[in-house]
Amino acid sequence: AQTVTQSQPEMSVQEAETVTLSCTYDTSESDYYLFWYKQPPSRQMILVIRQEAYKQQNATENRFSVNFQKAAKSFSLKISDSQLGDAAMYFCAYRSGGGADGLTFGKGTHLIIQP
Amino acid sequence: GAGVSQSPRYKVAKRGQDVALRCDPISGHVSLFWYQQALGQGPEFLTYFQNEAQLDKSGLPSDRFFAERPEGSVSTLKIQRTQQEDSAVYLCASSFGGGGYTFGSGTRLTVV
């Protein structure tokens, strides 16, 4: 079974600064997808960024980028120019490449933005 | 609809009561997933439908949990004889395919 580990229960960053959230995972599969989701108090999971394991290039979405290290099974999220609206819970998630398996989530990191 | 709609948003049940949670996915989305999110935890997979077929129910914690999607659109998660450990947020997600999921805002169930 796959596992996803987020070792930082809480992170704090000054507005406009850069912060990196850590995620490691364990799998024996070679084909899979990795995701970062944001969950504000409204509870809706919002996709931040997605990475296909077969792609060597790290995914980027505006101020959000990942550092995907396949051999190390590491998938960290970097948020540049942090904004107050970035404050939320962030979850790392894994999905097998074959079929339509559900997502396996980490326990989350609570991101606090200091004004 | 424009998004995944879940109702009710909040539900308080007395221990032993039966509850039914509704998920209305995005029109045309073939895949539908239910997750349970305990306080301070990440969501955990409960069950998966492709159209009306329940292809995976391995995450349902006990036989008190039952899910259905009879016409391949709206889905209902039913919990019988609720217990305190069932208190959680229940999230629904739908997908057209290809790994893109849209989540609803969940139902927060509190069993007292």
Side-chain angles (χ1 to χ4, degrees), chain B residues 2-73:
Chain B
V4 177
S5 178
Q6 291 189 247
S7 60
R9 186 156 173 78
Y10 300 92
K11 177 69 179 176
V12 178
K14 291 186 177 180
R15 190 165 51 183
Q17 265 187 331
D18 297 349
V19 298
L21 313 179
R22 176 187 169 105
C23 173
D24 200 341
I26 291 175
S27 178
H29 276 197
V30 169
S31 301
L32 186 145
F33 301 82
W34 283 99
Y35 293 85
Q36 180 190 57
Q37 185 176 19
L39 187 64
Q41 302 294 315
E44 292 194 357
F45 170 79
L46 292 177
T47 187
Y48 157 60
F49 290 85
Q50 187 170 337
N51 296 307
E52 68 278 4
Q54 189 175 19
L55 298 187
D56 187 349
K57 54 181 181 179
S58 61
L60 295 177
S62 77
D63 59 7
R64 296 185 296 104
F65 286 70
F66 171 77
E68 60 183 5
R69 193 185 185 198
E71 296 178 359
S73 55

